């Protein structure tokens, strides 16, 4: 889903007032710079009068100069991750997936971007700004040679007022330099302008960026009403003071007006000043937001000047909900206990890296919700606005995390910006200010730092509580609102409960014990691994970790639930493996979103859907005659298993557990019969033939118009239509229609091939499936129908 232009046009006494927020993602050009040699970095900063010496120096000749010739640069569309197309190297960063970026690779660690754009003469006098939702990292921005600023973090939005820098009625140039040499996290982070960019045009007196949000001060359940506080920041970018009033309208999801109101007196906003305005309203019979029913209202705020003209208007989505963390009952949402059934997530995906299109973000959230997941912990950085919007609309609670703990201005500013940009989202239920800060968790400094950050959170947003995720150190959890425990193997949670009975808590991380999808035996080349859940015995602490973790939190009502590590696989951190493995394998879903066995364990206990899942698959060629443990994940009361015609017995399913049998492998069929509430459920798996055809499932299936970006999941099947779980055939994918491939993958955590089309043909690619699966991501800008053809090579 592409970012689109949004315009609010309102009739006034003198005509129309207009706020325009337009997509700024198209028309960019890209070129690598050099992190080690300024001469190879287009001479950046080597001029006699450089960009820090004089404002828009006429002596500048680098990419930030309007005179610079970028005709040899490559055209790109944002979001853009320049690292995803790089190769791999065994000596590159383990934590970042062995991509050739970082201090060893100065020639591929700096990316330059330029865009030429026209500003009409009639826009002169307006407030015009650029909003970058995320640039990784250490970015610098120029407009027409004027230096706009630098941001070291790759995860925070940047807002640049460029009104006075523009050439009205002429061409203008924006230039960005991103330097990904230094890692900010210990996971794949990509590089470049990997999130959306917007241009905003408003009147000089306007509602500020991130300057409209709603909190709830009271919810009376008996009388069925809610009292909302509407907060607005009025920014006067002009050089004269101005008088205005604010008019509010709250509409329901059908567009019907629920409430409206207006100030009775004018506000005086001084020149170059931001004024905060609060307005209280009562909503009768509110429809509450929740993961099950993510109901959203729309708030429109209009700025009316002293002549009665509407000079600005801004709208935001509003979800009304009450979030309470209780020491005895855990999370209470809208008056009802709700267990956190959560996952931790990084922000990269197969084929596109960190530059995930909005429709792919939606695909990922929907995949998680299919499992019964209701909480997304943003590990370990602030989320994109696109992701938070999608979580609002689909009903996914979010634990929003800042990047770095500390009390200096650098960390405080990061925390403030993290909160201010996300506080309007009803999906955000908790702020997290740190993760596994080993250097302070056992020190008195940790308690002092956490206490200071708690107070900042309350000052920046009094409506939410905060957390700190600890790897076992006790000090940072003492002052926090809600303790975050990373792994029960590291944190004596029950002991803390006895020592701190008033403490609220949740499992901020808990291990899944997952391995490589479809792999049940060790790989001698070190690329893949079987699930840790199955490689130990019952006396080992590693045995069936996902079961141990969920049972622990499910059986303790005072614990709010937990977030598993992780929802999806991600590039980097292939622990405990090393190169040639390039990606983490602990996801419940793989890098493309294909389910591993453990996904069915969680789905069994997180949903009411009938689940009866058998593992391993029965294509275990080469292991004939060997003993095999057969597991069943299910929410049935009892399960009966038959292997190759031999009945192995009927067993009771323990709550939050699994059942297992042992059999000797031979090709054939496994049949499981489950009994649930008096009903019989049957599942079978068989030894299949070779892959002979492909089955394609599209993310736009059943829609009247196609999505802007379509995810196509491909399964390889034999001649009888049975999915072949070990098929790694070469496949050729062809697009027929006005669409093109932007990325592809197969969930292989040892992937080292290109994952984007090479050359000019973007409609045909060749790749290998991995254990029966492959995925292609297709850009469809006209949102018209197109066909996908797949040839399976035998």
């Amino acid at each position: 889903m592409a970012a689109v232009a949004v315009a609010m046009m309102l009739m006034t006494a003198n005509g129309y007032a207009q706020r325009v927020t337009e997509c700024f993602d198209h028309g960019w050009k890209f070129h690598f710079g050099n992190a080690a040699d300024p001469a190879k970095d287009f001479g950046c900063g080597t001029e006699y009068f450089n960009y820090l010496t004089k404002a828009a120096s006429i002596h500048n000749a680098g990419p930030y100069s309007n005179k610079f010739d970028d005709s040899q640069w490559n055209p790109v569309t944002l979001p853009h991750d320049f690292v995803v197309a790089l190769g791999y190297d065994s000596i590159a960063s383990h934590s970042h997936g062995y991509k050739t970026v970082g201090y060893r690779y100065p020639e591929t660690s700096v990316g330059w971007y330029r865009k030429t754009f026209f500003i009409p003469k009639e826009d002169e006098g307006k407030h015009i700004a650029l909003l970058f939702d995320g640039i990784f990292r250490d970015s610098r921005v120029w407009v027409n040679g004027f230096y706009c600023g630098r941001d070291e973090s790759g995860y925070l939005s940047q807002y640049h007022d460029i009104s006075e820098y523009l050439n009205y009625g002429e061409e203008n140039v924006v230039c960005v330099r991103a330097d990904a040499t230094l890692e900010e996290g210990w996971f794949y982070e990509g590089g470049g302008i990997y999130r959306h960019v917007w241009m905003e045009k408003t009147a000089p007196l306007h509602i500020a960026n991130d300057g409209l949000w709603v909190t709830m001060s009271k919810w009376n359940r008996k009388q069925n009403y809610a009292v909302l506080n509407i907060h607005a920041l009025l920014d006067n970018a002009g050089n004269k003071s101005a008088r205005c009033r604010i008019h509010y309208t709250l509409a329901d999801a059908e567009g019907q007006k629920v409430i409206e109101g207006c100030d009775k007196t004018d506000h005086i906003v001084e020149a170059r000043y931001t004024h905060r305005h609060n307005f209280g309203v009562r909503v009768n019979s509110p429809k509450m937001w929740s993961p099950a029913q993510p109901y959203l209202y729309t708030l429109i705020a209009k700025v009316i000047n002293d002549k009665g003209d509407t000079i600005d208007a801004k709208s935001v989505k509003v979800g009304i909900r009450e979030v309470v963390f209780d020491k005895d009952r855990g999370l209470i949402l809208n008056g009802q206990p709700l267990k956190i059934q959560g996952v931790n997530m990084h922000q990269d995906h197969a084929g596109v890296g960190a530059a995930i299109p909005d429709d792919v973000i939606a695909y990922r959230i929907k995949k998680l919700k299919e499992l019964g997941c209701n909480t997304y912990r943003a590990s370990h950085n602030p989320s994109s606005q696109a992701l938070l919007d999608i979580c609002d609309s689909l009903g996914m609670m979010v634990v929003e995390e800042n990047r770095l703990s500390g009390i200096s201005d650098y960390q405080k500013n990061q925390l403030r910006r993290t909160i201010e940009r996300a506080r309007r989202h009803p999906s955000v239920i908790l702020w997290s200010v740190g993760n596994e800060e080993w250097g302070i968790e056992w020190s008195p400094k940790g308690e002092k730092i956490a206490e200071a950050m708690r107070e900042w959170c309350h000052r920046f947003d009094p409506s939410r509580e905060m957390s700190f995720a600890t790897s076992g150190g006790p000090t940072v959890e003492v002052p926090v609102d809600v303790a975050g425990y990373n792994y029960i193997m590291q944190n004596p949670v029950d002991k803390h409960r006895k020592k701190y009975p008033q403490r609220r808590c949740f499992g901020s991380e808990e291990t899944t014990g997952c391995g490589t999808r479809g792999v049940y035996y060790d790989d001698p080349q070190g690329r893949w691994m079987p699930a840790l859940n199955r490689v130990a015995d019952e006396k080992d602490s590693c045995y069936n970790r996902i079961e141990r973790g969920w049972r622990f939190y499910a059986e303790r009502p005072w614990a709010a639930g937990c977030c598993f590590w992780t929802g999806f696989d991600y590039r980097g951190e292939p622990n405990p493996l090393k190169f040639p493995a390039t990606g983490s394998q602990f996801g419940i879903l793989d890098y493309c979103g294909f389910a591993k066995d453990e996904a069915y364990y969680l789905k069994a206990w997180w949903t009411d859907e009938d689940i009866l899942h058998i593992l391993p698959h029965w294509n275990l060629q080469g292991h004939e005659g060997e003993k095999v443990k057969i597991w069943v994940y299910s929410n049935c009361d009892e399960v009966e298993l038959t292997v190759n015609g031999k009945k192995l017995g009927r067993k009771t399913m323990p709550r939050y557990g699994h059942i297992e049998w042992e059999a000797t492998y031979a090709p054939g069929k496994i049949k499981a019969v489950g009994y649930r509430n008096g009903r019989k459920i049957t599942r079978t798996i068989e030894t299949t033939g070779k892959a002979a055809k492909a089955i394609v499932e599209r993310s736009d299936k059943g829609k009247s118009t196609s999505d802007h970006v379509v995810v196509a999941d491909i399964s390889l099947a034999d001649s009888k239509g049975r999915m072949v779980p070990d098929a790694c055939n070469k496949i050729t994918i062809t697009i027929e229609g006005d669409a093109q491939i932007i990325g592809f993958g197969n969930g292989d955590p040892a992937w080292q091939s290109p994952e984007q089309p090479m050359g000019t043909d973007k409609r045909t690619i060749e790749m290998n499936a991995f254990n029966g699966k492959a995925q292609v991501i297709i850009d469809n800008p006209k949102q018209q129908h197109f066909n996908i053809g797949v040839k399976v090579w035998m």
Side-chain angles (χ1 to χ4, degrees):
M1 180 171 59
V4 295
V6 177
M8 262 200 176
M9 304 197 59
L10 301 157
M11 181 68 77
T12 69
N14 298 324
Y16 289 96
Q18 184 177 26
R19 164 190 283 261
V20 176
T21 304
E22 64 182 67
C23 172
F24 215 62
D25 288 346
H26 300 275
W28 290 82
K29 289 190 172 184
F30 171 81
H31 203 287
F32 280 112
N34 193 289
D37 186 349
K40 297 178 181 178
D41 197 35
F42 302 103
C44 178
T46 62
E47 306 96 338
Y48 185 82
F49 292 108
N50 64 49
Y51 63 89
L52 291 177
T53 307
K54 298 288 184 179
S57 173
I58 59 173
H59 298 282
N60 288 347
Y64 33 79
S65 168
N66 290 30
K67 299 177 292 184
F68 183 83
D69 180 10
D70 63 10
S71 60
Q72 300 303 308
W73 287 28
N74 294 320
V76 295
T77 298
L78 308 181
H80 177 252
D81 175 1
F82 66 71
V83 177
V84 72
L86 297 178
Y88 298 83
D89 191 335
S90 61
I91 65 170
S93 171
H94 170 84
S95 67
H96 284 56
Y98 297 97
K99 281 286 190 177
T100 52
V101 65
Y103 70 92
R104 288 189 178 95
Y105 310 96
E107 66 281 353
T108 53
S109 296
V110 169
W112 284 89
Y113 296 83
R114 295 183 90 247
K115 174 172 174 155
T116 300
F117 60 100
F118 180 81
I119 294 292
K121 183 68 175 178
E122 54 267 27
D123 281 347
E124 193 162 8
K126 294 180 181 179
H127 169 74
I128 301 179
L130 288 177
L131 171 61
F132 294 86
D133 197 31
I135 307 171
F136 194 85
R137 65 172 297 276
D138 195 9
S139 59
R140 300 176 224 178
V141 179
W142 297 264
V143 171
N144 291 336
F146 289 94
Y147 182 52
C148 298
R150 179 179 187 176
D151 200 320
E152 291 183 80
S153 177
Y155 298 106
L156 294 170
S157 298
Q158 300 180 39
Y159 188 83
H160 298 290
D161 180 356
I162 61 173
S163 309
E164 281 73 26
Y165 296 160
L166 293 172
N167 302 316
Y168 294 92
E170 300 179 35
E171 297 288 339
N172 298 265
V173 173
V174 57
C175 178
V176 175
R177 181 185 188 270
D179 187 345
T181 302
L182 184 64
E183 299 172 353
E184 197 168 347
W186 53 98
F187 38 84
Y188 178 84
E189 298 178 281
I193 311 177
Y194 72 100
R195 292 179 180 173
H196 290 305
V197 182
W198 305 86
M199 175 176 281
E200 185 178 76
K201 300 178 181 180
T202 68
L205 180 62
H206 59 278
I207 298 171
N209 179 53
D210 297 327
L212 185 63
W213 72 102
V214 175
T215 58
M216 185 175 73
S217 60
K218 182 179 182 180
W219 179 36
N220 190 314
R221 289 189 289 274
K222 290 184 178 180
Q223 298 183 30
N224 197 18
Y225 71 86
V227 177
L228 306 182
N229 292 323
I230 299 172
H231 309 272
L233 298 178
L234 293 171
D235 184 28
N236 186 358
N239 297 318
K240 296 180 180 179
S241 62
R243 302 172 68 93
C244 70
R245 298 186 183 191
I246 301 183
H247 178 276
Y248 299 102
T249 302
L250 186 70
D252 62 19
E254 291 72 41
Q256 299 298 310
K257 187 185 300 181
V258 176
I259 57 168
E260 67 176 328
C262 189
D263 295 319
K264 295 181 180 179
T265 58
D266 288 348
H267 302 279
I268 300 176
V269 185
E270 299 298 330
R272 303 289 174 176
Y273 183 75
T274 300
H275 169 79
R276 179 163 178 168
H277 173 71
N278 300 310
F279 196 84
V281 298
R282 170 170 164 159
V283 179
N284 294 319
S285 302
K287 296 180 180 179
M288 308 299 285
W289 185 96
S290 70
Q293 295 180 313
Y295 193 90
L296 294 174
Y297 294 84
T298 300
L299 173 68
I300 300 176
K302 303 176 185 177
V303 181
I304 303 171
N305 66 14
D306 54 3
K307 298 179 181 178
D309 296 332
T310 299
I311 57 174
D312 187 37
K314 187 178 180 69
S315 69
V316 294
K317 295 294 183 181
V318 174
I320 302 174
R321 85 285 185 275
E322 182 185 62
V323 177
V324 175
F325 284 89
D326 185 84
K327 66 181 179 63
D328 297 317
R329 301 172 68 201
L331 172 63
I332 310 297
L333 181 67
N334 303 332
Q336 298 296 321
L338 179 65
K339 211 72 171 176
I340 288 176
Q341 300 176 172
V343 296
N344 287 265
M345 291 284 284
H346 286 313
Q347 56 170 21
D348 58 304
H349 189 92
V352 292
I356 307 181
D358 295 4
D359 284 325
V360 179
I361 296 175
Y363 167 91
R364 288 159 63 90
I365 298 300
K366 289 175 182 177
K367 285 290 184 182
L368 294 174
K369 284 187 68 72
E370 288 174 6
L371 305 180
C373 178
N374 62 19
T375 303
Y376 179 113
R377 180 172 174 239
S379 309
H380 300 286
N381 49 261
S383 307
S384 69
Q385 287 290 356
L387 183 137
L388 294 176
D389 285 339
I390 289 166
C391 289
D392 289 346
S393 64
L394 295 181
M396 180 67 75
M397 298 186 294
V398 175
V399 178
E400 182 74 344
E401 190 161 281
N402 77 312
R403 178 67 293 281
L404 188 64
S405 303
I407 62 166
S408 302
D409 286 346
Y410 177 78
Q411 293 95 330
K412 179 181 178 181
N413 185 49
Q414 281 198 347
L415 180 61
R416 176 185 60 79
R417 291 164 64 190
T418 297
I419 291 175
E420 289 180 352
R421 65 191 291 276
R423 62 189 171 190
R424 69 175 177 85
H425 293 279
S427 56
V428 177
I429 62 167
L430 191 67
W431 306 116
S432 177
V433 302
N435 179 78
E436 295 186 351
E437 292 288 356
W438 303 305
I440 62 174
E441 285 186 17
W442 283 267
S443 164
K445 295 184 181 70
E447 182 174 349
K448 295 175 183 178
I449 291 169
E451 187 173 21
M453 298 188 79
R454 179 197 67 198
E455 294 308 304
W456 289 340
C457 286
H458 294 172
R459 181 175 296 276
F460 301 146
D461 177 25
S463 71
R464 291 178 179 86
E465 295 187 294
M466 54 77 72
S467 181
F468 201 121
T470 175
S471 59
T475 60
V476 294
E477 299 297 359
V478 173
V480 303
D481 299 322
V482 181
Y485 295 129
N486 279 12
Y487 309 105
I488 55 177
M489 290 184 68
Q490 297 180 153
N491 287 276
V493 180
D494 285 335
K495 189 178 295 184
H496 286 327
R497 172 67 174 174
K498 293 179 181 178
K499 186 175 182 179
Y500 305 104
Q502 302 301 312
R503 176 179 288 180
R504 288 86 55 77
C505 71
F506 80 113
S508 39
E509 290 181 23
E510 194 54 52
T511 183
T512 63
C514 292
T516 310
R517 173 179 55 79
V519 170
Y520 300 97
Y521 299 93
D522 289 334
D523 172 43
Q525 297 182 47
R527 299 164 296 176
W528 313 310
M529 65 181 192
L532 297 179
N533 291 313
R534 288 169 51 86
V535 299
D537 59 39
E538 294 186 24
K539 297 179 182 179
D540 195 307
S541 61
C542 294
Y543 187 71
N544 206 7
R545 294 179 177 189
I546 195 167
E547 179 180 319
R548 179 196 62 212
W550 181 244
R551 178 184 284 118
F552 182 92
Y553 283 101
E555 291 178 345
R556 288 159 175 77
W558 44 267
C562 72
C563 294
F564 282 98
W565 189 266
T566 51
F568 276 61
D569 282 348
Y570 56 95
R571 179 170 284 129
E573 280 198 307
N575 306 330
L577 305 179
K578 297 181 179 180
F579 193 85
T582 58
S584 172
Q585 309 189 30
F586 293 138
I588 300 161
L589 309 174
D590 71 15
Y591 200 30
C592 292
F594 298 125
K596 302 179 187 178
D597 294 315
E598 289 78 6
Y600 297 94
Y601 169 78
L602 291 179
K603 195 170 185 178
W605 303 112
W606 282 3
T607 75
D608 292 328
E609 184 179 335
D610 292 334
I611 301 299
L612 186 56
H613 178 73
I614 306 165
L615 64 142
H617 61 67
W618 216 229
N619 278 28
L620 302 178
Q621 288 83 353
H623 297 277
E624 289 81 1
E626 296 180 11
K627 295 291 185 181
V628 177
K629 287 186 177 181
I630 301 171
W631 286 23
V632 166
Y633 288 136
S634 179
N635 49 16
C636 291
D637 305 313
E638 295 180 315
V639 178
E640 183 178 33
L641 196 75
T642 302
V643 179
N644 294 341
K646 182 180 179 180
K647 291 187 177 181
L648 299 188
R650 180 166 167 170
K651 295 186 179 183
T652 299
M653 176 65 68
R655 187 164 177 79
Y656 308 127
H658 74 286
I659 305 175
E660 59 183 87
W661 296 261
E662 188 173 77
T664 300
Y665 176 69
K669 180 170 71 174
I670 302 178
K671 179 181 178 182
V673 179
Y675 301 88
R676 188 184 189 202
N677 300 326
R679 294 180 294 110
K680 185 183 290 188
I681 303 150
T682 302
R683 298 285 186 271
T684 61
I685 61 172
E686 299 178 275
T687 306
T688 71
K690 298 293 185 181
K693 59 183 179 180
I695 299 170
V696 180
E697 183 175 350
R698 299 166 55 139
S699 60
D700 61 349
K701 180 181 178 181
K703 297 182 180 180
S704 57
T705 59
S706 179
D707 292 333
H708 189 284
V709 173
V710 175
V711 180
D713 292 335
I714 300 167
S715 299
L716 300 194
D718 66 9
S719 60
K720 296 181 179 180
R722 300 172 297 186
M723 203 279 278
V724 184
D726 59 343
C728 296
N729 302 53
K730 183 175 79 171
I731 58 177
T732 300
I733 302 169
T734 303
I735 305 301
E736 298 175 358
D738 197 6
Q740 62 181 21
I741 297 168
I742 58 174
F744 49 90
N746 59 19
D748 180 359
W751 178 286
Q752 292 184 34
S753 302
E755 54 190 316
Q756 294 182 336
M758 308 291 285
T760 58
D761 184 5
K762 309 294 186 183
R763 291 184 172 87
T764 302
I765 59 104
E766 286 188 350
M767 63 181 295
N768 281 78
F770 179 69
N771 288 343
K773 299 289 186 180
Q775 184 180 84
V776 62
I777 300 172
I778 302 150
D779 185 32
N780 182 28
K782 295 183 179 179
Q783 296 180 260
Q784 296 177 349
H785 180 72
F786 62 91
N787 295 319
I788 304 172
V790 182
K791 177 181 178 180
V792 179
W793 294 80
M794 306 296 286

